[in-house]
Amino acid sequence: MYGAGDLRVEQVPDPTPKAGEAVVRIHASGVCPSDIRSYTGVKATKAPWTPGHEIAGVIEALGDDAPAPWAVGDRVAVDWRGVCGTCRQCQRGAANFCENVVSYPIAGFADFTAMPLRQLRRLPDEVSFEAASFGEPLACVLNAHRAIPVELGADVLVVGAGPIGLLHTQVAASRGARVIVLDRLAARLEVARACGAHDVVVAGDEDGGAAEVRALTDGYGPDAVIVTVGIPEVIQTALAMAGKNATVNLFAGTHPKGSIAVNPDIPHYDQVSINGSHDFIPHDFSTALRLLRFGLVDVAPLISHRFDLADITKAFETTRTQTGLKSIIVA
């Protein structure tokens, strides 16, 4: 990535593992909206650099003194966030805000990458490379759900039926919720049904679908609202949809940054809790792989496009234009 819209495929030397590291041959790497923000120039990054942080592959080489459990040929997923485990945030269970975090440039859109062994998770045979590439985004989803109370039979509204919204749909359904999914694109809502949505709503121009959501919840509004769209107007509409004593999770950041007007009577008189979620803790990543292993989350319906590394620009453009759902670079 040399700058906005300037993505090139180049030959570079293969990485060599240092002590405590492994070189991973990459088999699957997902395109994330954060990659697109760099590609479109919304997010400023130091160039040139190699994006890609949703990856899975096979250990190709090991550095010196690699412990016995690790071996060349092991199938792995990569956790790109190295946390210290000793700072105040880690010790209070908020490792996603680790004060000494190392955000490894794992360079997922490449043939190989070198990573510390402590950042690798061995994959069970039941988890494909493509499924394992969802480990990181699913971990972020699980971090959000730890802050969202969901009683059995609760009405949960997921705003946005992109790949992240569809992961939220499956996790909420697995928690025993009746899930309603709201989106502007009817094609995505059909996938939402396949992912466990009990009802879907096309977001209209007049009220954003608020009246239909209210009707589907017998006039009460949902017990929880998960907003996966980083648009201030959508967030404001979602807040107004929440029922009394509901929780609203703002999962998506806004790009470019914006603001909303919040009626203080909503959290006060209606006792609506508003929270957010950012990244994940190591346990979330491990749990994500377990959900994939045992089929509690199925990512197959989310993958709409597969590209070779040589076609990386097509993959980015497909994601940028919201064509289909998830694009993955495969080898």
Side-chain angles (χ1 to χ4, degrees), residues 130-131 134 161-163 166-167 170 187-188 190-196 292 297-306 324-326:
E130 291 186 359
F134 282 82
L166 297 176
L167 290 176
Q170 295 190 58
R188 290 190 167 190
E190 288 304 310
V191 183
R193 287 191 183 278
C195 288
L292 294 168
V297 170
D298 180 13
V299 298
L302 280 60
I303 303 171
S304 60
H305 293 80
R306 296 171 177 85
L325 286 164
K326 188 73 170 182

Side-chain angles (χ1 to χ4, degrees), residues 21 102 123 160 227 251 259 264 268 305 325:
E21 288 187 345
V102 179
L123 295 179
V227 189
F251 185 86
S259 61
H268 176 60
H305 293 80
L325 286 164

Side-chain angles (χ1 to χ4, degrees), residues 46 52 69 118 123 180 234 244 270-271 280:
K46 185 178 180 180
R118 65 179 176 272
L123 295 179
I180 305 168
V234 175
K244 287 178 169 48
D270 291 343
Q271 203 168 302
F280 56 94

Side-chain angles (χ1 to χ4, degrees), residues 252-292:
T254 55
H255 302 276
K257 300 304 179 185
S259 61
I260 62 172
V262 177
N263 178 353
D265 284 351
I266 292 177
H268 176 60
Y269 287 111
D270 291 343
Q271 203 168 302
V272 171
S273 298
I274 303 169
N275 64 32
S277 52
H278 174 66
D279 280 340
F280 56 94
I281 63 175
H283 179 63
D284 294 327
F285 201 104
S286 299
T287 303
L289 293 180
R290 285 182 60 80
L291 295 181
L292 294 168

Side-chain angles (χ1 to χ4, degrees), residues 60-286:
E60 182 84 3
L62 289 165
D64 294 337
D65 301 324
W70 293 107
V72 171
D74 283 347
R75 303 169 67 253
V76 296
V78 181
D79 176 355
W80 65 277
R81 301 185 74 252
V83 300
C84 72
T86 59
C87 70
R88 181 176 185 274
Q89 300 296 350
C90 283
Q91 290 187 347
R92 64 192 289 264
N96 49 323
F97 296 106
C98 174
E99 297 166 21
N100 305 303
V101 66
V102 179
S103 298
Y104 291 101
I106 65 174
F109 300 128
D111 293 318
F112 303 98
T113 190
M115 285 294 293
L117 287 167
R118 65 179 176 272
Q119 299 305 122
L120 303 183
R121 312 294 178 89
R122 188 178 279 104
L123 295 179
D125 293 339
E126 300 94 330
V127 180
S128 69
F129 293 121
E130 291 186 359
S133 71
F134 282 82
E136 191 268 356
L138 181 54
C140 294
V141 166
L142 295 179
N143 176 44
H145 276 263
R146 284 189 288 108
I148 305 171
V150 176
E151 300 291 338
L152 288 172
D155 290 323
V156 174
L157 172 65
V158 177
V159 180
I164 289 294
L166 297 176
L167 290 176
H168 275 292
T169 297
Q170 295 190 58
V171 172
S174 73
R175 297 179 68 188
R178 176 273 192 106
V179 185
I180 305 168
V181 180
L182 174 74
D183 199 279
R184 286 185 172 275
L185 302 178
R188 290 190 167 190
L189 292 175
E190 288 304 310
V191 183
R193 287 191 183 278
C195 288
H198 295 75
D199 294 284
V200 298
V201 176
V202 178
D205 293 329
E206 187 171 335
D207 67 348
E212 189 171 351
V213 169
R214 184 70 62 172
L216 285 169
T217 56
D218 300 324
Y220 290 102
D223 303 302
V225 181
I226 303 170
V227 189
T228 70
V229 179
I231 299 174
E233 293 80 9
V234 175
I235 296 171
Q236 192 155 334
T237 300
L239 283 170
M241 292 182 186
K244 287 178 169 48
N245 201 39
T247 296
V248 178
N249 175 262
L250 306 183
F251 185 86
T254 55
H255 302 276
K257 300 304 179 185
S259 61
I260 62 172
V262 177
N263 178 353
D265 284 351
I266 292 177
H268 176 60
Y269 287 111
D270 291 343
Q271 203 168 302
V272 171
S273 298
I274 303 169
N275 64 32
S277 52
H278 174 66
D279 280 340
F280 56 94
I281 63 175
H283 179 63
D284 294 327
F285 201 104
S286 299

